[in-house]
Amino acid sequence: QVQLVESGGGLVQPGGSLRLSCAASGFTSTINVMGWYRQAPGKQRDSQRELVATVTSGGVTNYSDSVKGRFTISRDNAKNTVYLQMNSLKPEDTAVYYCNARTKFFRTYWGEGTLVTASS
């Protein structure tokens, strides 16, 4: 089992910045890819979570086109923690952000989510 705990969400004005963190515990040595997904207000089903960014254990990153150039994902393998630095936030970035971990045994784990609101 892998447990994921997110932190760092909150309210920010458009154009501002936030940094999300996700700490993993449990069988962390089995984790291959970590990432962030988001679910906008009004979208309830798990299938409507949008990929934001992912990073492999080797540091290879992938971003959605909507955040490329504004968000940066990073990973500290020693601390079993993944970060999402979000700059130039827009109102359309408002969502619950979920941490995700995929293991080498094809198991997927989710955190509880943290709300990010970009609004004046």
Side-chain angles (χ1 to χ4, degrees):
Q1 292 286 335
V2 172
Q3 294 79 42
L4 303 172
V5 178
E6 303 105 333
S7 61
L11 174 65
V12 64
Q13 291 192 341
S17 299
L18 278 177
R19 188 193 195 207
L20 305 183
S21 299
C22 172
S25 60
F27 293 118
T28 57
S29 62
T30 65
I31 296 174
N32 183 13
V33 181
M34 295 189 75
W36 294 92
Y37 289 71
R38 66 187 181 186
Q39 192 162 4
K43 295 187 177 181
Q44 298 299 320
R45 297 184 310 189
D46 289 350
S47 62
Q48 292 176 309
R49 291 182 183 179
E50 174 194 12
L51 168 71
V52 177
T54 61
V55 57
T56 69
S57 55
V60 177
T61 58
N62 179 53
Y63 296 91
S64 71
D65 287 343
S66 62
V67 307
K68 203 171 293 183
R70 299 187 298 122
F71 292 9
T72 302
I73 190 169
S74 60
R75 180 171 175 174
D76 186 334
N77 290 326
K79 294 182 178 180
N80 297 311
T81 300
V82 65
Y83 306 95
L84 186 69
Q85 177 66 43
M86 304 185 293
N87 298 330
S88 303
L89 280 159
K90 304 175 180 179
E92 51 264 42
D93 294 318
T94 295
V96 177
Y97 283 71
Y98 294 91
C99 182
N100 170 277
R102 282 178 276 163
T103 74
K104 60 185 72 175
F105 303 114
F106 309 107
R107 294 288 301 271
T108 298
Y109 297 91
W110 294 94
E112 294 289 322
T114 184
L115 178 63
V116 171
T117 304
S119 174
S120 54

